[in-house]
Each structure stands twice: as C-alpha cells, then as structure tokens.
Amino acid sequence: MGVIKDRFKQKADEVTAEIKELISEHGDKKIGEIKLSQVYQGMRGMIGLVTETSLLDPQEGIRFRGYSIPELQQKLPKAPGGNEPLPEGLFYLMLVGELPTEEDVTHLTSVWQRRSHVPNYVFDTIEALPITAHPMTQFVIAIMSLQTQSQFAKLYAKGMNKKDYWNAAFDDAMDLIARLPRIAAYIYRRKYKGGDHIQPNGLLDWAGNFAHMMGYEDEGFKELMRLYMTIHSDHEGGNVSAHATHLVGSALSDPYLSFAAGMNGLAGPLHGLANQEVIKWIFELRERIGSETPTKEQITEYVKQTLSEGKVVPGYGHAVLRKTDPRFTAQMEFGKKHMPDDPLVNTVWNVYHTVPEILSNIAKIKNPWPNVDAHSGALLVHYGMVEYEFYTVLFGVARSLGVLASLVWDRALGLPIERPKSVTTKALLKRVTGEAEDDDE
Ligand code: HAX
C-alpha cells in the first residue's frame, strides 16, 4: 500500500470507530426540526448528510478541515518561489485530515504525474464531438469515456468484498484527479487554439502543469491556478456538484460515473456555470455602453435592467453564505497584488461596491453579497484567457479534489445508498392539518 493510502486507512478506521460509538450512544438524539417550507425550498438548512472534508459557516465562509483560506495560504506548502498553496497539499489535508509536510506534497505531485496518462481513445471521443459543443459537455463526455479505466467497476464485476470498496475508490480518485488537467487542457487547446496541443511538463506541480498544458507560462497565471484550484475544491457536501457526486456514488456507481454526475450539476448557471455568466454579463455591459470602464451609475442601471428582465445578477447570492464569500476576498487580494490597475478587475470591484446595496433592497433575496464566481473570470482575462465558456471546466478540475476525497471517505465509512423520503402535497397537507384526503397519495 502507498504511504498516503496507508495513512488514510488508519484515519478512516479511527473515524469509523468514532462514528459507531456516536451512533450507539446518541443515535436517538434529535439534531433539528424540518419545517414544511424547507421541503419545498430546496431542503435549505436541513442537515441530511455527512461530509468530512470541509464545513461552511454562513457568516465566516468555508473551512477545510478547520482551516480558513488565509490559514491555508499560510500553512500549506508552496511551489518554489511561490506564495499560493499547492492544491496537492489541500487534497492531502481533506483526505487524511492532517496538514501535509513538504515531502508529502512532493510525493503527491509525483504520484499524480505517474498516474496522468490519458488513453488516446479519450481524445478521439472528444474529437468526435462538434467543436461548438460546450466545453463542459466535452469534459463530461471525456470523463465518461475514461470510465472504462475504473478499477472499482472492474473489481466489483469480479465480486469485491465491501471492505475493499474504499481501496478501489481511492485508486480511481487518484487516477481521475491525475488525468483531469490533461483532458481539460486538451479541450481548451482543441476548441480555442486550433488543436495545437502542448505536452505535459513532468517537472511541474499539478496546477502549474495544468497552466502549462493550456499554454500559459506566466508565473503569475501558474500561481493563480494554484490558488484557484485550492479555493474552488470544496464547499461542504450539500452543493449540487458535491451532493450529486455523493448521491450517485451511494449507488456504488464508480468514481468516474459519480464525478461525471457532479460535473453535470456544476454545469448549471445557478452553480458553477455562474463563473462564465459573470464575465459574459460584464462584457455585454461594456459593449452596450461602448466603454471598458463603466461608472457606478451605468452599473446600477444595468443591474436594474437585469432584474427587470427576470434574470439573476450572476455571481451574487448564495444558498448558505450570508456575507461576502472569503473565496471572493482571496481573489480580490490576488488582484490587488498582481493587477491593481486592470480595468476589468476594477469593474468587478465597482460591481461589488454597487450590487449588494441594490439586492439588499429586494426583500426575497437572502444574501446580496458576492460569491466565488463574481471574481474568478476577471483574473483569468487578465492573463489572456478570455474564452469564458471554458471557465466552468477549470472549476470542475478543482472540484474533483474535494468531491473525490469525500467519495473515498463515503466508501471507507460504508455509507449506505442515499434514499430520502419524498411525499406528495396531499400527503403533506394531511400531515399538517390532520385531515384525511379522499384519494390516497
Ligand atoms: N439576482 C437576482 N435574484 C436573486 C439573486 C441574484 N443574484 N439571488 C437570489 N435571487 C432571488 C432568487 O432567484 C429567488 O427568487 P424567486 O423566489 O423569484 O425564485 C429569491 O431571490 C430567493 O433566493 P435566495 O433564497 O436568496 O437564494 P437561493 O438559496 O434560492 O439561491 C443562488 C442561491 C446562488 C442560486 C442565487 O443567489 C442565484 O441565483 N445567484 C446568481 C447565480 C450565481 O451566482 N450562482 C453561483 C452560486 C455559487 C456557486 O454555487 N458557485 O458555483
């Protein structure tokens, strides 16, 4: 067994014992009540699943295994000469539950390098799609074609003992994470750079190599990718991409099938696709006013028009957060350090100084503050990545770190198939009024 796998197994055994004891001592205790409105409103606030890798506080934002983003920036190993955390370190932290050493991170980089070979038929599958296909469609289909490599599926077909599920899930997760940057970079170069592909550089870290394969050699862009991959990796378990991965995995669908399900969810405009929508929305504003530097008044008018057309203001609002997303703040800090005078980045900041006041005056909107997607695109454009339809693929590569670490935990903890109870409106009515209905639900 590899070093990381060994450490994971030891930790998983400890946590399994803790959970067994917790359930046996406190299994009958109530941890909350469910209101009828929550049943209709996307189960908001309902505690219904366990995710060990990160926890989201509405006021403070995300903590990964207890660490905030600024803490991660301080404590996780960095690339030589760099300031941003290496995503390898965050993956180790989420998986093993402890901060990694420099050596652990170097080891993980080389493990992923070793596992990163993508079979040619995956590229052929991508090539079979029209070039106009959305990058997220190409990404999901490529992941599905790679599913033929699943160890979990092969071993299950042979008759795997349930005690070994975690082991096969672990190997699939590592292989998939190692290969995703190559696939994503291939899609980028195919769609936007005339199919002029770039071979991996075996000396670079996971995110640095990803930047290189997409054709971005600027050290600033590599640092951005390290930060980007870290802050987009996980946001506890209830968001659509994490929950979809977990849900599909609970049927013992292998990690490739489960992750593809999560990516289909990430491709929705209320979730990960919001990052492309933000830049599209700002580009449209610039085009409309014929200027790269919209004033506060022009932004106000544009926001009001967006709302009057029954559309959402992309990058603003959140199902759980009630303050500015610390992932937005981390990107703003990056912008202040590397590109304080960039006009698009400044527009993002002006939007930030304009939108919350307008949204706060709309009673139904629970959170007027920016989320992660409000900022990311402007940083990418600064380095020349203007093809905003590709942005959600970057998010998807990053998200693999959290949801796949969680999926390995799911199998190690022996979590069962997920199957909440659904009811009809008539059944609910009967439950709350006590009145029997004539026709059964
Ligand atoms: N602009 C306009 N209206 C908004 C809004 C926004 N930014 N945010 C919320 N609202 C509206 C909702 O559409 C909803 O209206 P209806 O009742 O008419 O349907 C109402 O306000 C109540 O919504 P809420 O309770 O405040 O928010 P939800 O938990 O239902 O939804 C969303 C959270 C993130 C989906 C929502 O804020 C939104 O659509 N934001 C814009 C899209 C976006 O940025 N998504 C990315 C979120 C972060 C993420 O997942 N990144 O990947």
Side-chain angles (χ1 to χ4, degrees):
M1 232 190 283
V3 185
I4 302 174
K5 201 187 248 185
D6 251 350
R7 288 184 199 157
F8 169 77
K9 177 66 175 140
Q10 200 188 338
K11 193 57 96 177
D13 286 346
E14 284 166 26
V15 177
T16 307
E18 272 171 33
I19 293 175
K20 211 169 156 192
E21 197 182 323
L22 183 71
I23 296 175
S24 106
E25 279 190 24
H26 302 285
D28 289 332
K29 298 226 166 94
K30 292 202 169 134
I31 51 158
E33 285 177 0
I34 296 169
K35 288 194 237 144
L36 184 140
S37 57
Q38 288 174 288
V39 177
Y40 282 96
Q41 289 162 357
M43 299 188 276
R44 213 66 89 247
M46 232 185 236
I47 297 175
L49 62 149
V50 174
T51 302
E52 305 286 3
T53 46
S54 65
L55 185 65
L56 182 57
D57 179 83
Q59 304 298 324
E60 199 206 35
I62 192 69
R63 276 185 182 265
F64 304 84
R65 294 280 189 183
Y67 296 100
S68 67
I69 290 170
E71 283 167 352
L72 291 182
Q73 283 172 307
Q74 204 200 335
K75 290 180 194 295
L76 287 179
K78 301 171 180 64
N83 285 309
E84 299 302 341
L86 286 167
E88 285 90 330
L90 177 66
F91 178 75
Y92 184 100
L93 175 67
M94 288 191 290
L95 187 76
V96 179
E98 285 164 15
L99 284 171
T101 61
E102 297 268 350
E103 203 186 353
D104 293 328
V105 164
T106 313
H107 172 65
L108 201 44
T109 301
S110 64
V111 169
W112 287 349
Q113 284 278 5
R114 236 186 9 255
R115 290 174 176 248
S116 65
H117 173 73
V118 175
N120 269 337
Y121 64 79
V122 174
F123 300 127
D124 293 344
T125 306
I126 296 171
E127 290 296 340
L129 293 166
I131 196 120
T132 50
H134 192 280
M136 277 306 277
T137 306
Q138 301 194 35
F139 189 52
V140 170
I141 289 172
I143 295 163
M144 286 307 303
S145 75
L146 200 55
Q147 187 270 342
T148 50
Q149 303 269 313
S150 171
Q151 290 298 322
F152 188 98
K154 279 191 196 108
L155 291 170
Y156 193 90
K158 278 191 197 156
M160 180 167 37
N161 188 313
K162 50 172 76 170
K163 288 200 177 78
D164 298 327
Y165 290 167
W166 73 272
N167 201 340
F170 186 103
D171 283 330
D172 277 358
M174 294 294 256
D175 284 345
L176 189 46
I177 293 170
R179 291 159 169 182
L180 288 172
R182 182 96 171 86
I183 292 172
Y186 188 93
I187 294 166
Y188 182 70
R189 302 290 304 178
R190 171 187 189 233
K191 190 167 166 82
Y192 304 112
K193 305 290 170 187
D196 180 13
H197 297 291
I198 299 171
Q199 289 307 305
N201 177 345
L203 299 173
L204 286 169
D205 55 284
W206 184 73
N209 189 34
F210 185 24
H212 158 75
M213 289 187 289
M214 288 188 289
Y216 292 86
E217 296 302 348
D218 190 311
E219 204 39 49
F221 188 85
K222 290 197 176 106
E223 278 287 273
L224 174 62
M225 274 303 100
R226 292 168 190 134
L227 176 68
Y228 189 111
M229 294 292 130
T230 299
I231 64 175
H232 284 79
S233 62
D234 210 33
H235 218 221
E236 72 173 37
N239 65 78
V240 172
S241 53
H243 191 192
T245 306
H246 165 81
L247 167 68
V248 172
S250 84
L252 298 186
S253 305
D254 64 59
Y256 292 82
L257 296 168
S258 308
F259 181 62
M263 290 302 97
N264 280 308
L266 194 75
L270 295 190
H271 189 20
L273 204 83
N275 63 5
Q276 78 163 44
E277 295 300 291
V278 167
I279 288 301
K280 191 172 155 213
W281 183 76
I282 295 179
F283 281 179
E284 276 167 14
L285 164 63
R286 283 171 151 198
E287 206 175 310
R288 179 181 304 199
I289 60 169
S291 158
E292 280 198 345
T293 48
T295 62
K296 206 176 166 205
E297 290 68 40
Q298 286 168 322
I299 295 170
T300 302
E301 197 193 316
Y302 186 53
V303 170
K304 289 188 174 157
Q305 181 172 347
T306 301
L307 293 168
S308 74
E309 288 167 355
K311 299 176 191 162
V312 295
V313 178
Y316 283 76
H318 200 273
V320 180
L321 280 169
R322 294 297 174 256
K323 284 271 166 68
T324 296
D325 190 333
R327 300 172 299 174
F328 177 92
T329 312
Q331 296 179 91
M332 190 160 75
E333 294 304 322
F334 188 94
K336 282 183 191 163
K337 190 168 156 195
H338 294 271
M339 57 201 76
D341 301 322
D342 183 287
L344 184 62
V345 170
N346 276 274
T347 298
V348 163
W349 298 342
N350 283 335
V351 171
Y352 177 37
H353 294 134
T354 313
V355 169
E357 199 186 321
I358 303 172
L359 297 188
S360 314
N361 289 324
I362 303 173
K364 68 177 182 180
I365 298 180
K366 297 190 193 68
N367 176 33
W369 301 104
N371 57 57
V372 66
D373 300 313
H375 209 309
S376 53
L379 302 179
L380 297 166
V381 171
H382 174 81
Y383 291 105
M385 187 180 270
V386 293
E387 304 90 353
Y388 53 73
E389 279 200 342
F390 185 73
Y391 294 171
T392 312
V393 176
L394 293 179
F395 195 158
V397 174
R399 192 42 59 110
S400 70
L401 301 174
V403 301
L404 291 172
S406 283
L407 199 65
V408 179
W409 271 99
D410 292 349
R411 297 292 73 78
L413 296 176
L415 298 184
I417 188 162
E418 196 170 278
R419 207 311 186 181
K421 175 86 185 106
S422 78
V423 287
T424 60
T425 295
K426 278 191 179 147
L428 270 181
L429 192 69
K430 190 162 137 190
R431 201 175 258 258
V432 293
T433 61
E435 282 166 22
E437 288 289 326
D438 287 345
D439 45 346
D440 201 10
E441 66 261 17

mmCIF file of all heavy atoms in Angstrom, residues 141-174:
data_model
loop_
_atom_site.group_PDB
_atom_site.id
_atom_site.type_symbol
_atom_site.label_atom_id
_atom_site.label_comp_id
_atom_site.label_asym_id
_atom_site.label_seq_id
_atom_site.Cartn_x
_atom_site.Cartn_y
_atom_site.Cartn_z
ATOM 1 N N ILE A 141 -18.216 14.181 -21.253
ATOM 2 C CA ILE A 141 -18.156 13.029 -22.164
ATOM 3 C C ILE A 141 -16.758 12.385 -22.113
ATOM 4 O O ILE A 141 -16.633 11.157 -22.116
ATOM 5 C CB ILE A 141 -18.584 13.449 -23.582
ATOM 6 C CG1 ILE A 141 -20.102 13.704 -23.564
ATOM 7 C CG2 ILE A 141 -18.226 12.392 -24.634
ATOM 8 C CD1 ILE A 141 -20.684 14.312 -24.807
ATOM 9 N N ALA A 142 -15.734 13.204 -21.988
ATOM 10 C CA ALA A 142 -14.374 12.657 -21.858
ATOM 11 C C ALA A 142 -14.244 11.848 -20.557
ATOM 12 O O ALA A 142 -13.649 10.765 -20.554
ATOM 13 C CB ALA A 142 -13.351 13.794 -21.883
ATOM 14 N N ILE A 143 -14.816 12.368 -19.479
ATOM 15 C CA ILE A 143 -14.758 11.638 -18.200
ATOM 16 C C ILE A 143 -15.484 10.299 -18.345
ATOM 17 O O ILE A 143 -15.008 9.254 -17.886
ATOM 18 C CB ILE A 143 -15.392 12.468 -17.049
ATOM 19 C CG1 ILE A 143 -14.576 13.726 -16.796
ATOM 20 C CG2 ILE A 143 -15.510 11.637 -15.766
ATOM 21 C CD1 ILE A 143 -15.315 14.795 -16.001
ATOM 22 N N MET A 144 -16.612 10.332 -19.012
ATOM 23 C CA MET A 144 -17.379 9.094 -19.213
ATOM 24 C C MET A 144 -16.600 8.092 -20.063
ATOM 25 O O MET A 144 -16.664 6.890 -19.830
ATOM 26 C CB MET A 144 -18.738 9.396 -19.852
ATOM 27 C CG MET A 144 -19.735 10.028 -18.901
ATOM 28 S SD MET A 144 -19.957 9.096 -17.378
ATOM 29 C CE MET A 144 -20.440 7.528 -18.043
ATOM 30 N N SER A 145 -15.858 8.575 -21.064
ATOM 31 C CA SER A 145 -15.101 7.622 -21.885
ATOM 32 C C SER A 145 -13.943 7.035 -21.077
ATOM 33 O O SER A 145 -13.553 5.890 -21.271
ATOM 34 C CB SER A 145 -14.623 8.263 -23.191
ATOM 35 O OG SER A 145 -13.549 9.119 -22.940
ATOM 36 N N LEU A 146 -13.448 7.791 -20.119
ATOM 37 C CA LEU A 146 -12.361 7.309 -19.260
ATOM 38 C C LEU A 146 -12.871 6.281 -18.233
ATOM 39 O O LEU A 146 -12.079 5.567 -17.615
ATOM 40 C CB LEU A 146 -11.760 8.525 -18.528
ATOM 41 C CG LEU A 146 -10.363 8.425 -17.941
ATOM 42 C CD1 LEU A 146 -9.338 8.003 -18.986
ATOM 43 C CD2 LEU A 146 -9.961 9.755 -17.325
ATOM 44 N N GLN A 147 -14.178 6.228 -18.071
ATOM 45 C CA GLN A 147 -14.769 5.304 -17.088
ATOM 46 C C GLN A 147 -14.367 3.852 -17.341
ATOM 47 O O GLN A 147 -14.337 3.030 -16.427
ATOM 48 C CB GLN A 147 -16.304 5.470 -17.093
ATOM 49 C CG GLN A 147 -17.043 4.696 -16.018
ATOM 50 C CD GLN A 147 -17.444 3.299 -16.461
ATOM 51 O OE1 GLN A 147 -17.481 3.000 -17.651
ATOM 52 N NE2 GLN A 147 -17.750 2.453 -15.494
ATOM 53 N N THR A 148 -14.029 3.535 -18.585
ATOM 54 C CA THR A 148 -13.587 2.168 -18.918
ATOM 55 C C THR A 148 -12.349 1.776 -18.117
ATOM 56 O O THR A 148 -11.986 0.617 -18.073
ATOM 57 C CB THR A 148 -13.230 2.092 -20.418
ATOM 58 O OG1 THR A 148 -12.354 3.183 -20.705
ATOM 59 C CG2 THR A 148 -14.454 2.201 -21.297
ATOM 60 N N GLN A 149 -11.676 2.774 -17.520
ATOM 61 C CA GLN A 149 -10.464 2.518 -16.740
ATOM 62 C C GLN A 149 -10.770 2.265 -15.254
ATOM 63 O O GLN A 149 -9.845 2.082 -14.468
ATOM 64 C CB GLN A 149 -9.553 3.763 -16.805
ATOM 65 C CG GLN A 149 -9.173 4.176 -18.198
ATOM 66 C CD GLN A 149 -7.886 3.513 -18.621
ATOM 67 O OE1 GLN A 149 -6.921 3.493 -17.895
ATOM 68 N NE2 GLN A 149 -7.897 2.936 -19.813
ATOM 69 N N SER A 150 -12.039 2.287 -14.883
ATOM 70 C CA SER A 150 -12.350 2.224 -13.453
ATOM 71 C C SER A 150 -11.968 0.887 -12.813
ATOM 72 O O SER A 150 -12.456 -0.169 -13.212
ATOM 73 C CB SER A 150 -13.850 2.480 -13.227
ATOM 74 O OG SER A 150 -14.171 2.201 -11.875
ATOM 75 N N GLN A 151 -11.103 0.972 -11.813
ATOM 76 C CA GLN A 151 -10.732 -0.212 -11.025
ATOM 77 C C GLN A 151 -11.927 -0.673 -10.206
ATOM 78 O O GLN A 151 -12.148 -1.862 -10.027
ATOM 79 C CB GLN A 151 -9.599 0.146 -10.041
ATOM 80 C CG GLN A 151 -8.279 0.412 -10.700
ATOM 81 C CD GLN A 151 -7.775 -0.817 -11.443
ATOM 82 O OE1 GLN A 151 -7.925 -1.947 -10.985
ATOM 83 N NE2 GLN A 151 -7.211 -0.605 -12.620
ATOM 84 N N PHE A 152 -12.659 0.302 -9.700
ATOM 85 C CA PHE A 152 -13.810 -0.015 -8.848
ATOM 86 C C PHE A 152 -14.806 -0.867 -9.639
ATOM 87 O O PHE A 152 -15.259 -1.914 -9.170
ATOM 88 C CB PHE A 152 -14.476 1.291 -8.368
ATOM 89 C CG PHE A 152 -15.544 1.075 -7.330
ATOM 90 C CD1 PHE A 152 -15.264 1.240 -5.980
ATOM 91 C CD2 PHE A 152 -16.836 0.703 -7.696
ATOM 92 C CE1 PHE A 152 -16.252 1.028 -5.011
ATOM 93 C CE2 PHE A 152 -17.820 0.483 -6.739
ATOM 94 C CZ PHE A 152 -17.533 0.653 -5.395
ATOM 95 N N ALA A 153 -15.125 -0.410 -10.870
ATOM 96 C CA ALA A 153 -16.111 -1.144 -11.685
ATOM 97 C C ALA A 153 -15.600 -2.553 -12.017
ATOM 98 O O ALA A 153 -16.363 -3.532 -11.947
ATOM 99 C CB ALA A 153 -16.413 -0.361 -12.963
ATOM 100 N N LYS A 154 -14.309 -2.638 -12.340
ATOM 101 C CA LYS A 154 -13.745 -3.960 -12.711
ATOM 102 C C LYS A 154 -13.782 -4.908 -11.522
ATOM 103 O O LYS A 154 -14.212 -6.053 -11.641
ATOM 104 C CB LYS A 154 -12.287 -3.786 -13.159
ATOM 105 C CG LYS A 154 -12.169 -3.322 -14.589
ATOM 106 C CD LYS A 154 -10.712 -3.415 -15.072
ATOM 107 C CE LYS A 154 -10.585 -2.576 -16.323
ATOM 108 N NZ LYS A 154 -9.857 -1.339 -16.167
ATOM 109 N N LEU A 155 -13.340 -4.424 -10.364
ATOM 110 C CA LEU A 155 -13.286 -5.296 -9.186
ATOM 111 C C LEU A 155 -14.689 -5.650 -8.703
ATOM 112 O O LEU A 155 -14.934 -6.759 -8.251
ATOM 113 C CB LEU A 155 -12.476 -4.626 -8.069
ATOM 114 C CG LEU A 155 -10.977 -4.515 -8.390
ATOM 115 C CD1 LEU A 155 -10.262 -3.632 -7.383
ATOM 116 C CD2 LEU A 155 -10.329 -5.906 -8.420
ATOM 117 N N TYR A 156 -15.602 -4.702 -8.831
ATOM 118 C CA TYR A 156 -16.986 -5.003 -8.410
ATOM 119 C C TYR A 156 -17.568 -6.115 -9.283
ATOM 120 O O TYR A 156 -18.221 -7.044 -8.788
ATOM 121 C CB TYR A 156 -17.877 -3.753 -8.474
ATOM 122 C CG TYR A 156 -19.181 -4.000 -7.737
ATOM 123 C CD1 TYR A 156 -19.292 -3.710 -6.385
ATOM 124 C CD2 TYR A 156 -20.283 -4.576 -8.385
ATOM 125 C CE1 TYR A 156 -20.448 -3.985 -5.672
ATOM 126 C CE2 TYR A 156 -21.450 -4.853 -7.684
ATOM 127 C CZ TYR A 156 -21.530 -4.553 -6.331
ATOM 128 O OH TYR A 156 -22.663 -4.831 -5.623
ATOM 129 N N ALA A 157 -17.286 -6.024 -10.578
ATOM 130 C CA ALA A 157 -17.811 -7.037 -11.507
ATOM 131 C C ALA A 157 -17.255 -8.426 -11.174
ATOM 132 O O ALA A 157 -17.938 -9.440 -11.347
ATOM 133 C CB ALA A 157 -17.461 -6.656 -12.942
ATOM 134 N N LYS A 158 -16.026 -8.452 -10.648
ATOM 135 C CA LYS A 158 -15.422 -9.741 -10.283
ATOM 136 C C LYS A 158 -15.960 -10.264 -8.957
ATOM 137 O O LYS A 158 -15.757 -11.424 -8.629
ATOM 138 C CB LYS A 158 -13.897 -9.570 -10.144
ATOM 139 C CG LYS A 158 -13.148 -9.611 -11.439
ATOM 140 C CD LYS A 158 -11.654 -9.716 -11.119
ATOM 141 C CE LYS A 158 -10.832 -9.363 -12.321
ATOM 142 N NZ LYS A 158 -9.499 -8.901 -11.955
ATOM 143 N N GLY A 159 -16.555 -9.377 -8.170
ATOM 144 C CA GLY A 159 -17.075 -9.776 -6.866
ATOM 145 C C GLY A 159 -16.202 -9.250 -5.746
ATOM 146 O O GLY A 159 -15.446 -10.006 -5.138
ATOM 147 N N MET A 160 -16.308 -7.939 -5.483
ATOM 148 C CA MET A 160 -15.442 -7.306 -4.481
ATOM 149 C C MET A 160 -16.102 -7.367 -3.096
ATOM 150 O O MET A 160 -17.303 -7.126 -2.970
ATOM 151 C CB MET A 160 -15.211 -5.840 -4.908
ATOM 152 C CG MET A 160 -14.340 -5.064 -3.990
ATOM 153 S SD MET A 160 -13.756 -3.469 -4.662
ATOM 154 C CE MET A 160 -15.115 -2.818 -5.600
ATOM 155 N N ASN A 161 -15.298 -7.645 -2.071
ATOM 156 C CA ASN A 161 -15.777 -7.590 -0.692
ATOM 157 C C ASN A 161 -16.056 -6.128 -0.333
ATOM 158 O O ASN A 161 -15.240 -5.251 -0.640
ATOM 159 C CB ASN A 161 -14.681 -8.166 0.226
ATOM 160 C CG ASN A 161 -15.157 -8.323 1.660
ATOM 161 O OD1 ASN A 161 -15.747 -7.421 2.238
ATOM 162 N ND2 ASN A 161 -14.894 -9.487 2.222
ATOM 163 N N LYS A 162 -17.147 -5.853 0.368
ATOM 164 C CA LYS A 162 -17.479 -4.441 0.659
ATOM 165 C C LYS A 162 -16.391 -3.751 1.489
ATOM 166 O O LYS A 162 -16.261 -2.541 1.460
ATOM 167 C CB LYS A 162 -18.869 -4.272 1.255
ATOM 168 C CG LYS A 162 -19.220 -5.150 2.418
ATOM 169 C CD LYS A 162 -20.558 -4.737 3.023
ATOM 170 C CE LYS A 162 -21.723 -5.213 2.160
ATOM 171 N NZ LYS A 162 -23.019 -5.053 2.825
ATOM 172 N N LYS A 163 -15.590 -4.517 2.199
ATOM 173 C CA LYS A 163 -14.482 -3.926 2.993
ATOM 174 C C LYS A 163 -13.413 -3.317 2.077
ATOM 175 O O LYS A 163 -12.579 -2.534 2.510
ATOM 176 C CB LYS A 163 -13.821 -5.005 3.839
ATOM 177 C CG LYS A 163 -14.664 -5.469 5.003
ATOM 178 C CD LYS A 163 -13.769 -6.161 6.050
ATOM 179 C CE LYS A 163 -14.549 -6.570 7.273
ATOM 180 N NZ LYS A 163 -15.340 -7.784 7.057
ATOM 181 N N ASP A 164 -13.421 -3.710 0.808
ATOM 182 C CA ASP A 164 -12.387 -3.221 -0.119
ATOM 183 C C ASP A 164 -12.853 -2.067 -1.025
ATOM 184 O O ASP A 164 -12.075 -1.582 -1.841
ATOM 185 C CB ASP A 164 -11.885 -4.379 -1.013
ATOM 186 C CG ASP A 164 -11.240 -5.473 -0.187
ATOM 187 O OD1 ASP A 164 -10.624 -5.131 0.845
ATOM 188 O OD2 ASP A 164 -11.373 -6.656 -0.553
ATOM 189 N N TYR A 165 -14.096 -1.668 -0.870
ATOM 190 C CA TYR A 165 -14.614 -0.597 -1.755
ATOM 191 C C TYR A 165 -13.731 0.646 -1.705
ATOM 192 O O TYR A 165 -13.439 1.268 -2.717
ATOM 193 C CB TYR A 165 -16.032 -0.176 -1.339
ATOM 194 C CG TYR A 165 -17.130 -1.181 -1.584
ATOM 195 C CD1 TYR A 165 -18.387 -1.005 -0.996
ATOM 196 C CD2 TYR A 165 -16.944 -2.298 -2.401
ATOM 197 C CE1 TYR A 165 -19.409 -1.906 -1.198
ATOM 198 C CE2 TYR A 165 -17.967 -3.209 -2.607
ATOM 199 C CZ TYR A 165 -19.202 -3.004 -2.000
ATOM 200 O OH TYR A 165 -20.211 -3.893 -2.203
ATOM 201 N N TRP A 166 -13.369 1.032 -0.465
ATOM 202 C CA TRP A 166 -12.601 2.285 -0.310
ATOM 203 C C TRP A 166 -11.296 2.237 -1.099
ATOM 204 O O TRP A 166 -10.879 3.236 -1.668
ATOM 205 C CB TRP A 166 -12.304 2.538 1.183
ATOM 206 C CG TRP A 166 -11.250 1.613 1.708
ATOM 207 C CD1 TRP A 166 -11.438 0.371 2.231
ATOM 208 C CD2 TRP A 166 -9.830 1.826 1.697
ATOM 209 N NE1 TRP A 166 -10.234 -0.197 2.555
ATOM 210 C CE2 TRP A 166 -9.229 0.669 2.240
ATOM 211 C CE3 TRP A 166 -9.004 2.869 1.291
ATOM 212 C CZ2 TRP A 166 -7.856 0.527 2.384
ATOM 213 C CZ3 TRP A 166 -7.627 2.745 1.429
ATOM 214 C CH2 TRP A 166 -7.066 1.580 1.969
ATOM 215 N N ASN A 167 -10.681 1.031 -1.124
ATOM 216 C CA ASN A 167 -9.373 0.875 -1.750
ATOM 217 C C ASN A 167 -9.470 1.128 -3.259
ATOM 218 O O ASN A 167 -8.679 1.875 -3.849
ATOM 219 C CB ASN A 167 -8.895 -0.556 -1.459
ATOM 220 C CG ASN A 167 -7.406 -0.689 -1.606
ATOM 221 O OD1 ASN A 167 -6.771 0.121 -2.255
ATOM 222 N ND2 ASN A 167 -6.843 -1.731 -1.026
ATOM 223 N N ALA A 168 -10.495 0.526 -3.874
ATOM 224 C CA ALA A 168 -10.687 0.713 -5.320
ATOM 225 C C ALA A 168 -11.121 2.153 -5.614
ATOM 226 O O ALA A 168 -10.680 2.760 -6.602
ATOM 227 C CB ALA A 168 -11.730 -0.273 -5.828
ATOM 228 N N ALA A 169 -11.961 2.721 -4.731
ATOM 229 C CA ALA A 169 -12.404 4.117 -4.919
ATOM 230 C C ALA A 169 -11.200 5.049 -4.803
ATOM 231 O O ALA A 169 -11.076 6.031 -5.547
ATOM 232 C CB ALA A 169 -13.477 4.481 -3.893
ATOM 233 N N PHE A 170 -10.301 4.751 -3.868
ATOM 234 C CA PHE A 170 -9.081 5.547 -3.678
ATOM 235 C C PHE A 170 -8.280 5.577 -4.982
ATOM 236 O O PHE A 170 -7.878 6.642 -5.465
ATOM 237 C CB PHE A 170 -8.253 4.923 -2.547
ATOM 238 C CG PHE A 170 -7.033 5.709 -2.148
ATOM 239 C CD1 PHE A 170 -7.025 6.470 -0.989
ATOM 240 C CD2 PHE A 170 -5.878 5.683 -2.918
ATOM 241 C CE1 PHE A 170 -5.899 7.193 -0.612
ATOM 242 C CE2 PHE A 170 -4.750 6.404 -2.557
ATOM 243 C CZ PHE A 170 -4.756 7.165 -1.393
ATOM 244 N N ASP A 171 -8.048 4.392 -5.573
ATOM 245 C CA ASP A 171 -7.236 4.338 -6.802
ATOM 246 C C ASP A 171 -7.912 5.085 -7.953
ATOM 247 O O ASP A 171 -7.246 5.802 -8.704
ATOM 248 C CB ASP A 171 -6.984 2.872 -7.195
ATOM 249 C CG ASP A 171 -5.903 2.270 -6.321
ATOM 250 O OD1 ASP A 171 -5.011 3.017 -5.879
ATOM 251 O OD2 ASP A 171 -5.958 1.058 -6.045
ATOM 252 N N ASP A 172 -9.217 4.912 -8.077
ATOM 253 C CA ASP A 172 -9.923 5.639 -9.145
ATOM 254 C C ASP A 172 -9.836 7.150 -8.932
ATOM 255 O O ASP A 172 -9.638 7.916 -9.882
ATOM 256 C CB ASP A 172 -11.408 5.222 -9.188
ATOM 257 C CG ASP A 172 -11.622 3.926 -9.973
ATOM 258 O OD1 ASP A 172 -10.640 3.377 -10.503
ATOM 259 O OD2 ASP A 172 -12.784 3.473 -10.050
ATOM 260 N N ALA A 173 -10.001 7.567 -7.678
ATOM 261 C CA ALA A 173 -9.962 9.009 -7.384
ATOM 262 C C ALA A 173 -8.591 9.578 -7.759
ATOM 263 O O ALA A 173 -8.496 10.631 -8.411
ATOM 264 C CB ALA A 173 -10.265 9.256 -5.909
ATOM 265 N N MET A 174 -7.538 8.870 -7.380
ATOM 266 C CA MET A 174 -6.174 9.357 -7.676
ATOM 267 C C MET A 174 -5.938 9.403 -9.187
ATOM 268 O O MET A 174 -5.384 10.373 -9.707
ATOM 269 C CB MET A 174 -5.132 8.450 -7.012
ATOM 270 C CG MET A 174 -5.173 8.500 -5.523
ATOM 271 S SD MET A 174 -4.687 10.106 -4.848
ATOM 272 C CE MET A 174 -3.074 9.722 -4.299
#
